[in-house]
Structure formats: structure tokens, C-alpha cells
Amino acid sequence: RVFEVKEKVTKAQLRVTADNEFTAWLQGERVLRGRDWKRSFFADVTRKVTLGPLLLAIQGKNEGGQAGLIGELTLEYASGARTRLVTDGEWEVCAGRGDDETWRKDPTAPAPTRARVLGPLGMSPWGDPFAPRLATPASALGVRSGYTATLVRSASEWQGSWVSMTFDPKGQLYIGVERDGILRLANPLASPLASPLTSEAEFLDLPPTITNVQGMTFAHGALWVNVNLNDDGGGLFRLRDADDDGQFEDVQRMFQWKGDGEHGAHAIVPGPDGWLYVINGNMTNLPKELAATSPHRLYAEDVLLPPIEDPNGHAVGVKAPGSHVLRFKPDGSIIELFAAGMRNAYDLAFDAVGELYTFDSDMEWDIGLPWYRPVRVCHLVSGAEFGWRSGTGCWPVHFFDSLPPLVDIGRGSPTGVTFWYGDPMNAGHGHFVAADWSLGRILLVDVQTGQVDTLVSGKQFAPEAESGRVTPRPGKPLNVSDVVVGPGVDGPDGALWFITGGRGTQSGLYRLGVATGSAASPRPTERDAVRLGLERFHARPHAEAIDAAWPSLGAATPALRQVARVAVERQPVLEWRARALAESDPARARAALLALSRAGARDDLAAVVDRWLELDLGHGDRVGQLEALRVLAVAFARHGRPDEARRIRVLAALPTDFSGDDLLLARERAALLVFLRAPEIVPPLLAVLLSATSQADQIAFAFLLSHVADGWSDATLAQFGKWLQQARAHLGGGVSFEGYLDAIRATFIERLRDPALQAQAKAWPKPASRAAAAVVAPGPFVRAWTVEELAPHLAAVTEGRSFTAGERAARSAQCIVCHRFGTTGGSIGPDLTTLSSRFSRRDILEAIVEPSKVIADQYRLEILALRDGTTTAGRILRETADEIVLLIEPIAHTTQTVRPKDVLSRTPSPVSSMPPGLINSLTREQILDLLAYFENEGDKEADAFK
């Protein structure tokens, strides 16, 4: 579009969005780009507007479905006049020009046609991306007594969804925008609640590669950002403003890695030692420059029996080290792997004395299974290992080659963390502040005592507010994505600032201050001097290391014990091998033999087994027995089975009678027996399976039995088959629960060696979908509902609803076929249990009516273009060097296998596997009942149903 400027312009602002992406040029200079049609993108182009004719050009790209573009250029003149140039039928279209730049540079170049107007702003399916937006008001939040929360700013429509933030030394706030660049707020405290288009909030002028920044910090005269991209553009960047003009001219990538959506590259913080520390998720590769001095090394899966990976395809093929912490020198000369073995830790924080902590996620799909681990707070010491492994291989907390968590939280979705000393009630001791995205809350964790309280919640507090408990009633969305301490706003420690956002949701900036009393000065705890002294031996061999570390191999403190073992493992094995085999103290001997199993070679296996038998390490107290069994498990996992003579001796030392046994000990002993192919192991394992009262114990022994290929009879086979059928029908858990039971069954049948027995097992009835059985037939077609038709009635969800009608609507619309709700439902889509903690009513409505508008990373389909000219789409369940297995029909669980060499290209699908129109057989009142049912988490006693 060509337009003419006849007088001086004092302000020029451009807003554009397109389905699916666009790039805009003014006079041939690129001024704006965007890749998210759900929101608009903004640029202040005042300095680029001159007198005379100007050419505004926008290039759009569509990825399927409807294509559309909308834009607005607002001009304010010195005279006070104001004009707007909007996308309408006067725009010229130059389709098919490709890389030809003439069309966007020459105002006189002819265009072949005019733009087609599809409809007014706000039309379906896009809605109004320019509409003003407000975050959840602070008055609607539950805030612990003694504190006050303020909504400082709501993200306007062009500012996107916020996922990370940091302050600079001037007090300016920088915000990482999901799938976009970095937003700067020059004066956060002066920001209005509903942001107008002002220069006070602006996107930094950075290369387009600086996008989707999930972690950043100011340190050593630079802004450091962690770019989360699953391609060659990802990694750690240093941004420097050499002339202090507010522009970062010097942009340098220091290290490269690829992430994978929400499990990719995350936070970065400066360390008290002058290094910078980065935390990445379990789907992120390690940098190629990793130094040999890394404290965390010698990692392996260390799983005794072949694991079953997630049947829904999450993290399939992902191996150790998992989510990890890297540290590097500011000049980029050295980068080390510091600690690892988390699942998907998003942020990390140092306390006042320099100890490092993180908040790690659970695998919520595994709830109800023996390998499930809750959300946890972890102490990140040098060389720490926390034992996340994919699928059934995830280490239990009693494995002594990993560190236990400081505290288990339960369910949640960890995001930002920090240490805050602004609490007047704890005399300056300080708290680890942990944000929980999915449950909409900020927690205060005392890392010394393990006490956990809720500081802020999207739900109102119960009358006994000091307990930190919130009421069970539904609240407002508080999808907290990051939290930082402000630069000295409330004294030396600052107030607590946090943002909401993520997955395209509405964002807000909040400030939490102390309402009563005053912030106390930090009262640091003392660090473990012995442990710190041993950490200096983690980088390289040292003459003093073995003698210094050896006494602590038997320490009662898990962190000290692991640091000591890592220090020993760093030294040449020949210097401590004999000492490990001669150690007589049981605790030190177990740690020393574990170290030799990890750092030694296959030739050391015989000596480890002999010493294990000599010391009778399989007996003693419960903890000692668990550790002794783990020593053998690691030795065998690393080096294979021992020779036949030693195999028989070890089997003789491992009783097969589990009656009256501690079932945790029984699990570990049974795993060794199965691995060593103990004869006649089926009857005792089957007996303990059938007598166990715990669901987790039953499934653990069923998994072990699935690895036994021989020794079955018609009777034992029938008993196991009956248990599998009953478990599938009556036991329940997370999204992947039923899939794991089916995988245990399939693994067992595949391993059976007796052809006749295998034929019997294959004839077992195919497990039915419990979720599908609960579905009721939909009613007749009512209307092709749109968000615009239903949105004006959302206020009616609050009261007067029918619980029965809402529950029935969830069944007739097939919601529970694909989605977990509470402890029931399918495994194809996201869990719907705590929707209202992170999504607004409109967000939920849009997700139902327009399922492709926002697709979570772990549920996104991939489109594969094949060499034969065809394409296929599905969720990748398994990928190896030989095959890619896709789930192409979720409800029927239909899969397709393709060879990697036949794949020409892979692209993410913009279309959700959830079909639109599922609520078109419901009336408006039934839809409102459905929303109330989800919002109140299926609680029939909720106020909305009274």
C-alpha cells in the first residue's frame, strides 16, 4: 500500500498479525514480523516515516486452513491530527513473487490484483487480536496475611504471552515473550494497568533468532539470554550495549544447543563464583564444547531391566543426563556439566550463602505407577545426580547413587524460582520461592525444615490464612511463569515480582510487597565446609583427593556422601581400586564398590561381586540392604552378567521367598533375580503380586514378571492373565497408566518362549477403553457454535448450573475419551483437571470451539513428507535409527511405521488432533454446564451447582 505523508509525523505505530506468519517492510526496510495469529505484533516506526510517498509492504505465509491478514498504521502529526491506514480492499496483492524484492521496494511497481476483504475485525475463526486485555486482578487472588499484591500491568494484545523476566542495573524490566522477542519496560512501577501503545514498553531491536527466550539475566556487563528453539538457532547468547544507548548492537552466540518446546532451554543465573549457571530441560542436547573438567560425568542409564518407554511417546529415546545444569565462564572459554538427572527443571536460584536449588517437575502421566516421582525441590551440589530416566527406568528415591529431594510437593508444573528474604515472619532466614504454573500458585519453601506454605494463589485463602491453605473453590487463572526479586524497592532485598503467561494465555506483571512489619536482613545458614572442600576435587585428579574424600563415603548426609564419591571417581581407578576392595566399613564399602562399578571396567566386575559376597552386604539394616542391592544392579547394568560360577553364588545369596518381606526390598531383590535368570522365579513373584495391597507394588511386580520368559505353566499364565485383565479394568492413574499396563502385557507375550503358552496369551481378550465405555451418544445437531456467540454468556457459568448436565455433556462431547479428568478419562489430550488455575473461561471455551488455536508442545502432530510423494501426520510414539512410529488415529490407537530414510521433511502440524464441532450437539445451557463442570473440577458441591 502506497501512502503519502505531507507533514511532520510525531508518532507512527504499526500493528499487524497474520495466519500464520508475516514480515512487514516500510520503504524496503524490515520493521516487523510475527508468527502467532492469535495476537497482534507492534512496532514504533516513527523514526522511519519521512515526508513524501511511502510504501508499506507485508508478506504473509499460511500453513494450512484459512489465510488472513490484518494491520493498522497509526500516524500522529505535529499539528495534532491523527490518521489511520488499515488493511482493506485498496491494498494491492503481489502473489507468487517469491524472493523478488521489487514489489516491496518500488512504489510504482504494478500489482496484479486487489486484496479480498474477508470480513470485519472480530470475525471467526480469528476473533479480535487487537481487543484490550486484562490479567486476573490482584483483588481476586489469595494472598497470605502480611503481604499485599498489586497488578502492575496487563499485557496488551501486541505484547504476547510472557515466560521469563529479569531486571537490569537501571531498574528496567526485560520480559521474554513466548515465540517472540524481548520486551523492555523502562519504568515498571509507573506502568498503567492496561497498557496503551506507548514507547514506555518496547520490543528490543534484535535479530529474529533471539526469540522464545525462556531465561535471561544481566551479569558481567551484558544481557545473557537462553533461546529455546528446536533447530540450529537455539543456544546461549550474549547481548552487549557498547555505547549505552539502549540498543544491543553486539549479539553473539556463545554456545549452541537444541531444545524441544517446553522441555528445552530454560533459565540462566549468575553464580557467586563468577561463573554463569544455565538450566535446560530433558529434551535439550549438551553443547559440543563440554569440558573434561565437568563435575557431572560417568552418567549412564544404570537400569537393570530393559525399560518400557512412555506409550504416548513422550521423551521416547531420550537418555541420561536428562534435565541438567551447565556452568560457564563469561568469556566462553569453559563450559561444564555441573549437575543433572532432573526431568524438566525450569529455573534455579542461589541462596544468600551460595547454595544452588531448583524446582523439578513430575511426569503427571505416570501418576499411580511405581516409577512416578512428585514435583520436588532439589539441592544442586557439584556433580549431583537426581535419577530421571525415561519411562519405567526412572530411578526411585532410595537409589543411593542419586540425591533425594529436599521436599516432595505433589502435583504441579514448576516454573520460576528465587530466594527471598522479605518475609517479616521468619527473622531473615529466607525462603525458596517456587512458582507453580498448572495449579496457579506461588509457594514458600523452607529448605532447612521442608515446610511448604502457599504465598499467593488464584484461589482465595481459607479462614486460617496463616496455615497457607487455600479454599477448594475454583479461583482465577494465575499461571505464574517467572518470579524475581526487585532491585531494592522495599529496602535492600526488594519486593517480589512475578509474571503470568505461557501457551498463549493472558499475561500480567504483579508486585508482592510486605504489608506488615519490615523486611529483615538475611541471616545466612552455614555451608558444609567439608563438602565444599571435596567439591574442589571434581575437576581433575588431585594428590590429596582420595584421603580427603574417603571418610565421607559413609557420611549420613546424602549430599556429602555423593560429593565424596564423585571426588573419588575423578581420580585414576588404579590409585583407589585396592582400597575400595579392602574397605571393611559397610557404608563406605557400599559407596566404594558403587564407585568402582561406575568408574571401573568389565574386568572389575568379578572383584566387585566377590567382595560383595565376602562382606555379606545383602544383609543388615533396611537402608544398607537397599544400597547393597543397588551396588549389584549398577555393576550388572554397566558390565553385564557375571560368569556362571558367580551368577550361581549371587543367586544363592538372594532368597526367593518374599512372604512377609519388605516389598521395597523385595522389588530390588526380585529385579536382580530376574536379571540373573533365577530358576523357578515365577511362583514366588506371582504370589507376591497377588498378595500385595498397594497398586504401585502390584504393577512393579507385574513389570518384573513381564521380563521372565521361561518357567510358566498353564496355571500361572492364567493367574497372570486374570490379574492383567482386572488391573486394566479397576486400577487407575495418569494419562499413560492404561498404556503402560497394555505395554507390560504386550512385552510379556512377546518374551514368552513356549509357543503354546504364547498362543494362549495372545488369545486373551483385548483390553477395552474404559474412557470410551463411559461415553454417551451425542444428541441431534443443534448449532455450529462460535466463540463470538457463546462468549457474552460466560458470566452465567458462575451460578445456577446443573452438575448432572455438565457431566453428561463431557461424556456426549467425547471429552473423556481423549482427556483425563480427575482419575478417569483417556490419554490422548491434556489433563483437564485443573483448567481454571491456568486458563480463563474464554481460554477454555476457545480451546473447545477452536482446538487448533493453541496446541501444547507434547500434543502437537508432525507432518512427514515421504519420498513416494505422500504425506502422513501423527504424534511420534517411538523413533530409532530404523523406524519412526506415529500415532495417526488416537481413539482407535492406529499407528503407522515409516523408515527414517524415506522421510524428506518434517514440519509441525498447525492442526490439532482434536476435531472441531464436538459441542455442536449441545445447547447453549448445556455448554455452560460443561464449562462449570470443568471449572469446578467435577465437584458437585461447588457453589456453581447450588
Side-chain angles (χ1 to χ4, degrees):
R1 179 71 179 268
V2 178
F3 62 99
E4 189 166 0
V5 177
K6 297 182 179 180
E7 61 175 299
K8 182 179 179 181
V9 171
T10 57
K11 183 178 291 186
Q13 297 177 324
L14 177 65
R15 288 194 292 180
V16 182
T17 193
D19 186 356
N20 290 84
E21 63 180 83
F22 75 91
T23 305
W25 291 269
L26 186 59
Q27 290 296 88
E29 180 181 353
R30 193 188 74 205
V31 292
L32 188 61
R33 67 186 300 169
R35 299 187 182 94
D36 185 357
W37 62 266
K38 299 178 293 297
R39 49 166 288 234
S40 66
F41 294 81
F42 167 82
D44 189 312
V45 295
T46 307
R47 291 182 293 179
K48 296 176 174 59
V49 174
T50 58
L51 295 177
L54 300 176
L55 174 63
L56 176 59
I58 306 174
Q59 183 175 19
K61 180 182 178 183
N62 183 245
E63 295 178 356
Q66 297 191 59
L69 179 145
I70 190 166
E72 173 190 62
L73 176 64
T74 303
L75 303 175
E76 295 182 12
Y77 301 97
S79 64
R82 188 171 183 266
T83 61
R84 292 167 65 239
L85 180 71
V86 300
T87 45
D88 56 24
E90 297 300 312
W91 284 65
E92 297 176 331
V93 177
C94 305
R97 294 290 183 88
D99 295 328
D100 177 12
E101 298 181 356
T102 305
W103 67 275
R104 66 176 187 249
K105 288 187 175 182
D106 184 0
T108 65
T113 185
R114 297 275 181 168
R116 181 162 67 93
V117 177
L118 300 178
L121 175 63
M123 70 174 291
S124 181
W126 301 289
D128 183 359
F130 293 168
R133 302 175 183 179
L134 288 176
T136 299
S139 60
L141 304 178
V143 182
R144 193 180 185 198
S145 177
Y147 303 87
T148 179
T150 304
L151 173 60
V152 176
R153 188 185 195 103
S154 293
S156 61
E157 85 288 342
W158 59 271
Q159 293 172 347
S161 195
W162 301 344
V163 294
S164 62
M165 65 174 174
T166 189
F167 281 96
D168 74 2
K170 298 177 181 179
Q172 300 180 112
L173 185 64
Y174 291 71
I175 295 175
V177 180
E178 185 178 49
R179 296 183 177 86
D180 205 345
I182 299 174
L183 185 71
R184 176 168 55 200
L185 304 183
N187 189 354
L189 277 177
S191 301
L193 297 185
S195 329
L197 297 179
T198 67
S199 59
E200 176 196 358
E202 62 176 351
F203 275 97
L204 300 183
D205 185 9
L206 295 170
T209 51
I210 307 299
T211 182
N212 208 33
V213 173
Q214 294 192 3
M216 55 183 165
T217 190
F218 274 90
H220 307 285
L223 173 60
W224 304 82
V225 301
N226 204 7
V227 172
N228 185 31
L229 291 175
N230 193 25
D231 57 31
D232 292 338
L236 196 285
F237 289 77
R238 182 184 63 195
L239 283 55
R240 291 195 287 202
D241 177 9
D243 53 9
D244 198 28
D245 65 349
Q247 302 298 318
F248 293 89
E249 306 89 355
D250 181 5
V251 177
Q252 180 180 356
R253 179 161 59 186
M254 307 295 288
F255 305 103
Q256 182 179 4
W257 42 71
K258 296 180 182 180
D260 188 3
E262 295 169 4
H263 289 245
H266 295 324
I268 176 171
V269 298
D273 54 4
W275 294 52
L276 287 112
Y277 288 72
V278 176
I279 197 161
N280 290 333
N282 59 343
M283 309 289 276
T284 316
N285 66 299
L286 295 173
K288 62 182 180 181
E289 305 93 339
L290 205 61
T293 55
S294 295
H296 187 81
R297 50 194 289 274
L298 301 182
Y299 53 84
E301 292 296 289
D302 288 333
V303 175
L304 193 59
L305 299 173
I308 297 174
E309 295 189 286
D310 183 76
N312 280 310
H314 180 73
V316 169
V318 178
K319 304 300 182 184
S323 179
H324 53 270
V325 176
L326 301 162
R327 67 177 180 184
F328 64 93
K329 289 192 172 183
D331 62 2
S333 59
I334 300 175
I335 184 167
E336 297 178 341
L337 181 59
F338 180 75
M342 293 79 71
R343 176 176 178 262
N344 187 34
Y346 189 82
D347 201 356
L348 68 172
F350 285 95
D351 69 4
V353 297
E355 295 292 333
L356 187 60
Y357 300 84
T358 191
F359 190 27
D360 193 22
S361 68
D362 63 343
M363 177 46 169
E364 66 276 13
W365 295 359
D366 291 353
I367 289 175
L369 295 164
W371 44 89
Y372 171 74
R373 304 196 311 188
V375 167
R376 45 182 20 202
V377 176
C378 299
H379 183 194
L380 298 167
V381 299
S382 176
E385 165 69 73
F386 293 93
W388 176 85
R389 300 295 186 267
S390 183
T392 64
C394 201
W395 295 5
V397 70
H398 62 264
F399 281 5
F400 80 123
D401 41 341
S402 73
L403 282 180
L406 293 179
V407 57
D408 282 335
I409 302 295
R411 279 287 297 111
S413 181
T415 49
V417 302
T418 191
F419 266 90
W420 192 33
Y421 294 88
D423 184 346
M425 290 179 277
N426 65 12
H429 174 66
H431 270 127
F432 181 68
V433 178
D436 182 344
W437 187 85
S438 64
L439 295 184
R441 59 183 180 169
I442 298 177
L443 302 175
L444 289 177
V445 181
D446 189 324
V447 296
Q448 304 299 321
T449 66
Q451 179 177 342
V452 181
D453 292 308
T454 301
L455 176 60
V456 184
S457 173
K459 299 180 180 181
Q460 296 293 326
F461 275 74
E464 53 271 33
E466 293 304 325
S467 69
R469 293 194 303 109
V470 297
T471 60
R473 294 191 300 272
K476 299 293 183 181
L478 194 70
N479 43 322
V480 186
S481 53
D482 204 0
V483 56
V484 299
V485 176
V489 176
D490 278 343
D493 303 308
L496 196 69
W497 294 70
F498 62 93
I499 54 174
T500 58
R503 293 193 187 170
T505 55
Q506 174 62 42
S507 289
L509 170 65
Y510 298 81
R511 177 179 176 272
L512 188 78
V514 177
T516 59
S518 59
S521 299
R523 182 169 52 84
T525 55
E526 292 185 6
R527 304 184 74 182
D528 187 334
V530 175
R531 195 197 82 228
L532 293 175
L534 297 181
E535 287 182 359
R536 64 192 177 97
F537 301 130
H538 287 183
R540 53 185 59 85
H542 195 286
E544 301 174 7
I546 298 173
D547 287 340
W550 206 266
S552 296
L553 289 177
T557 306
L560 174 57
R561 195 178 187 193
Q562 188 167 118
V563 164
R565 176 174 52 76
V566 172
V568 170
E569 291 173 350
R570 170 61 76 174
Q571 315 311 310
V573 174
L574 287 178
E575 294 182 7
W576 54 271
R577 182 181 184 275
R579 187 168 181 175
L581 295 173
E583 178 59 58
S584 59
D585 177 80
R588 285 200 297 269
R590 292 190 293 267
L593 292 178
L594 175 65
L596 185 56
S597 299
R598 286 166 46 87
R602 165 73 184 178
D603 291 344
D604 294 309
L605 178 61
V608 169
V609 172
D610 290 345
R611 187 58 177 161
W612 190 91
L613 291 165
E614 287 173 9
L615 291 174
D616 196 21
L617 290 178
H619 296 83
D621 64 276
R622 182 174 188 264
V623 171
Q625 290 183 65
L626 287 171
E627 290 182 358
L629 294 171
R630 180 60 179 164
V631 169
L632 282 187
V634 173
F636 296 154
R638 296 242 173 175
H639 307 301
R641 292 182 181 86
D643 59 76
E644 184 61 15
R646 288 182 174 85
R647 183 184 76 89
I648 293 173
R649 291 174 62 203
V650 173
L651 285 176
L654 298 174
T656 58
D657 179 10
F658 303 112
S659 59
D661 207 345
D662 180 316
L663 290 190
L664 196 59
L665 283 168
R667 282 195 217 174
E668 301 305 329
R669 193 167 77 246
L672 285 164
L673 289 165
V674 170
F675 177 81
L676 294 174
R677 300 171 183 162
E680 300 180 1
I681 191 63
V682 171
L685 280 183
L686 192 58
V688 74
L689 163 68
L690 299 178
S691 64
T693 56
S694 159
Q695 173 176 300
D697 283 329
Q698 291 179 40
I699 296 171
F701 284 104
F703 172 76
L704 293 173
L705 279 165
S706 73
H707 286 78
V708 181
D710 299 300
W712 292 87
S713 66
D714 289 341
T716 54
L717 184 71
Q719 287 180 296
F720 191 41
K722 182 179 179 180
W723 181 89
L724 287 168
Q725 292 295 112
Q726 292 178 339
R728 189 63 163 73
H730 301 295
L731 302 184
V735 165
S736 293
F737 185 88
E738 293 180 5
Y740 273 114
L741 290 181
D742 294 345
I744 287 173
R745 166 186 160 136
T747 299
F748 170 67
I749 294 174
E750 182 181 347
R751 286 198 176 106
L752 271 175
R753 285 202 179 93
D754 187 311
L757 293 178
Q758 189 178 59
Q760 290 182 40
K762 287 181 177 179
W764 287 340
K766 183 178 180 181
S769 170
R770 291 162 58 188
V775 172
V776 298
F781 176 81
V782 174
R783 186 183 186 88
W785 291 106
T786 66
V787 173
E788 288 68 32
E789 291 171 324
L790 295 168
H793 304 281
L794 288 177
V797 174
T798 303
E799 58 185 0
R801 305 312 327 160
S802 167
F803 174 85
T804 302
E807 183 181 40
R808 183 176 179 84
R811 297 176 184 273
S812 66
Q814 301 186 59
C815 303
I816 59 171
V817 174
C818 299
H819 297 275
R820 183 72 47 166
F821 189 66
T823 58
T824 61
S827 60
I828 299 166
D831 192 311
L832 305 181
T833 308
T834 58
L835 280 177
S836 62
S837 295
R838 56 194 188 273
F839 298 114
S840 68
R841 282 179 189 167
R842 185 181 177 99
D843 289 333
I844 298 170
L845 176 64
E846 288 181 346
I848 295 172
V849 179
E850 303 168 7
S852 295
K853 187 170 184 177
V854 178
I855 306 172
D857 288 332
Q858 59 265 49
Y859 298 99
R860 187 175 292 278
L861 309 181
E862 285 206 43
I863 301 172
L864 274 58
L866 306 178
R867 291 187 181 277
D868 62 4
T870 64
T871 61
T872 186
R875 186 197 301 172
I876 294 180
L877 296 181
R878 183 173 68 255
E879 183 172 2
T880 67
D882 301 319
E883 63 178 16
I884 301 174
V885 180
L886 296 99
L887 179 66
I888 58 174
E889 210 299 298
I891 295 178
H893 205 79
T894 304
T895 62
Q896 179 182 354
T897 301
V898 299
R899 297 181 301 178
K901 65 181 181 181
D902 293 334
V903 178
L904 293 177
S905 65
R906 297 166 57 161
T907 56
S909 172
V911 179
S912 171
S913 58
M914 174 178 166
L918 292 177
I919 59 169
N920 290 348
S921 63
L922 303 178
T923 67
R924 185 180 70 194
E925 293 304 309
Q926 289 171 327
I927 294 171
L928 298 178
D929 291 333
L930 173 67
L931 292 173
Y933 177 70
F934 286 143
E935 182 175 275
N936 290 277
E937 300 178 12
D939 178 11
K940 64 173 60 179
E941 302 301 322
D943 292 343
F945 303 120
K946 294 179 181 178

